[in-house]
Amino acid sequence: EALKMQKDAKVDVFWDQQAQEVFVAVNNLNSLSAEFDYQLWAIGKDGPVGIGLVNPGEKFTLQQMNAVAEAGAFAITIEPKGGSKAPTLEKLVVLGEVA
């Protein structure tokens, strides 16, 4: 069953393009049951690449993700525990274009 997008979900993604470092800070994400994880995706020319799992309980701290050289947008989806190779778009929680 498709989950509704979390209207009150709020995360900040910090991307240092020169260092290629990506950090996520969770302001508000619903808790998930044990069989699911939030996964962050960098969406570039070659499509979405999973760059790490986001812990919704760790609020207002910087969680480091995998390095990213190129992205036009970042997205968070809900995936089976451990993450997926490709995003489950029906379970898209947050999508933000790079400013």
Side-chain angles (χ1 to χ4, degrees):
E1 95 192 85
L3 298 171
K4 293 196 178 87
M5 263 182 94
Q6 294 176 25
K7 289 193 175 44
D8 56 350
K10 181 156 185 350
V11 298
D12 293 312
V13 176
F14 302 95
W15 179 31
D16 181 331
Q17 289 178 285
Q18 283 180 311
Q20 300 186 5
E21 290 181 334
V22 178
F23 296 90
V24 172
V26 172
N27 296 337
N28 191 24
L29 275 180
N30 294 344
S31 300
L32 293 175
S33 56
E35 67 265 33
F36 295 105
D37 275 321
Y38 287 106
Q39 189 168 6
L40 181 69
W41 304 86
I43 302 169
K45 290 192 288 286
D46 300 326
V49 176
I51 58 168
L53 302 178
V54 178
N55 178 349
E58 245 184 76
K59 295 197 173 174
F60 307 110
T61 59
L62 291 178
Q63 302 178 44
Q64 186 158 17
M65 301 287 125
N66 298 345
V68 172
E70 188 260 331
F74 290 94
I76 291 178
T77 58
I78 296 172
E79 301 297 337
K81 190 88 188 149
S84 302
K85 291 267 187 283
T88 307
L89 294 176
E90 308 84 63
K91 296 189 178 178
L92 182 70
V93 178
V94 179
L95 176 65
E97 293 193 6
V98 173

